[in-house]
Amino acid sequence: MRTTRTRPLIPTKPSLRPAEWLCCATGALLVLSGFLHLLVFAVDGGPWDGPVSWRKPVTFGFSFGLTLIAITWVTSYVRVEARPRTALLVVFAADCVVEVGGITLQAWRRVPSHLNMETGFDTAVSMMLAVGGGVLVVVLTLFAVASFRSLPTGPVGMPLAVRSGFAILLVALASGAAMIARGVVLTRTGHQEAAYHSTAPLKPLHGVSLHAVLVLPALAWLLSRTRWSDTVKERVVYGAVGCYAAAVVVAGVHAVLTW
């Protein structure tokens, strides 16, 4: 008697919801904006460093775009109900657009974007960016808390990668808030030029810790595509988390020594 072999059912990840498509598309446009302003810098020239440069729309376009895409993907492994997650993602996407838009506008106006209180309009833009930064902190902190409240889903190593990524992301949020706070104090006390340069010591720490939430889960996902044993995969993720944490510590020590 002939028997027929049936293929085992392979679980597939559900297709992206409309809000997720919107967030990913928005993130891609922000990254594209960063690329376009890199071309503008290549043509127009000018300084790369300093409060007025094309560096800001380039780096912020890249960072916000990649972070938006990363958060949209990574939170699919976090145990959050669909409606609250969708609402938070839409708010986060809108805030990313506002932040990059404000920074880009001021770059084209050839004036500083952050901590700029020179005119009423500049003050309004600066305050908008500061408020937007507060919204980012709230949204990302809520996702971070959710990742620790219940174990994230995903392949071997993904729960650790997601939790570690969000934990390190909190360092980025704290360092960003510290930069804004110190700059505002200097601005309010009449040290405008010092305020523009006061953020430099914390920038490496902020930049390194910001993208752990993308790098570590991406590594866990890549490992899931290999034939390595679960033990090896988990050890690799643990090693990557340790290396990333060490890099954050080094950047933190540098910030303390140069603050």
Side-chain angles (χ1 to χ4, degrees), residues 43-65:
V43 174
D44 186 62
W48 180 254
D49 293 320
V52 181
S53 69
W54 293 116
R55 168 187 56 83
K56 299 192 78 172
V58 171
T59 56
F60 277 80
F62 286 150
S63 292
F64 274 90

Side-chain angles (χ1 to χ4, degrees), residues 90-172:
V90 171
V91 170
F92 184 57
D95 203 19
C96 288
V97 172
V98 170
E99 292 287 304
V100 176
I103 290 162
T104 302
L105 171 65
Q106 296 297 71
W108 281 98
R109 294 182 66 234
R110 306 289 180 144
V111 295
S113 55
H114 293 86
L115 310 172
N116 184 359
M117 310 292 181
E118 296 295 330
T119 67
F121 182 81
D122 293 330
T123 300
V125 173
S126 181
M127 293 305 297
M128 177 187 69
L129 295 176
V131 172
V135 173
L136 293 176
V137 170
V138 172
V139 171
L140 294 176
T141 299
L142 288 174
F143 278 134
V145 170
S147 72
F148 281 93
R149 183 176 296 167
S150 300
L151 188 68
T153 61
V156 174
M158 184 62 77
L160 173 64
V162 170
R163 283 181 167 178
S164 300
F166 272 114
I168 296 173
L169 179 63
L170 293 178
V171 176

Side-chain angles (χ1 to χ4, degrees), residues 20-52:
E20 293 173 323
W21 276 114
L22 174 64
C23 291
C24 290
T26 302
L29 289 175
L30 294 178
V31 172
L32 178 61
S33 173
F35 273 115
L36 292 177
H37 282 90
L38 187 60
L39 294 177
V40 172
F41 170 71
V43 174
D44 186 62
W48 180 254
D49 293 320
V52 181

Side-chain angles (χ1 to χ4, degrees), residues 203-216:
K203 283 182 179 178
L205 174 62
H206 182 70
V208 169
S209 54
L210 183 63
H211 296 294
V213 75
L214 169 60
V215 174
L216 296 176

Side-chain angles (χ1 to χ4, degrees), residues 191-205:
H191 301 88
Q192 185 68 63
E193 196 62 31
Y196 291 145
H197 299 285
S198 65
T199 60
L202 285 173
K203 283 182 179 178
L205 174 62

Side-chain angles (χ1 to χ4, degrees), residues 156 228-238:
V156 174
W228 295 353
S229 68
D230 290 351
T231 301
V232 172
K233 293 176 184 177
E234 197 158 11
R235 284 177 180 174
V236 171
V237 174
Y238 269 107

